[in-house]
Amino acid sequence: MNFKPLHDRIAVSPLPSEEKTTGGIIIPDTAKEKPMQGKVVAIGSGVRDKDGKLVPLEVKVGDIVMYGKWGGTEVKIDGKDLVIMKESDVMGIIVK
């Protein structure tokens, strides 16, 4: 990918939302919720603290993260849909 986020920003590839409910009802595209989970595909270098020291990000490429419903900015880079957000928009890392 030809994109490197700056500072505390990350690029997330949204995971596809569920096609069916647990009861087996098929959800049409118009009624689907916006994805709130995604895979981190690129990260920035981090932020500087008050002393000028670089503080690296906690998330890393490959992490599956949960983020706010309206968090980030949706973009298309190299034909892929991505969400660019600050690390602070991430609610947590999903650990398997």
Side-chain angles (χ1 to χ4, degrees), residues 8-28:
D8 63 338
R9 289 182 175 78
I10 63 173
V12 176
S13 176
L15 295 177
S17 57
E18 294 295 320
E19 300 288 326
K20 289 184 187 179
T21 65
T22 52
I25 298 171
I26 297 175
I27 304 169

Side-chain angles (χ1 to χ4, degrees), residues 69-84:
K69 191 174 199 175
W70 306 111
T73 302
E74 295 176 354
V75 296
K76 190 172 273 225
I77 298 173
D78 295 337
K80 296 178 184 174
D81 291 323
L82 298 175
V83 180
I84 308 299

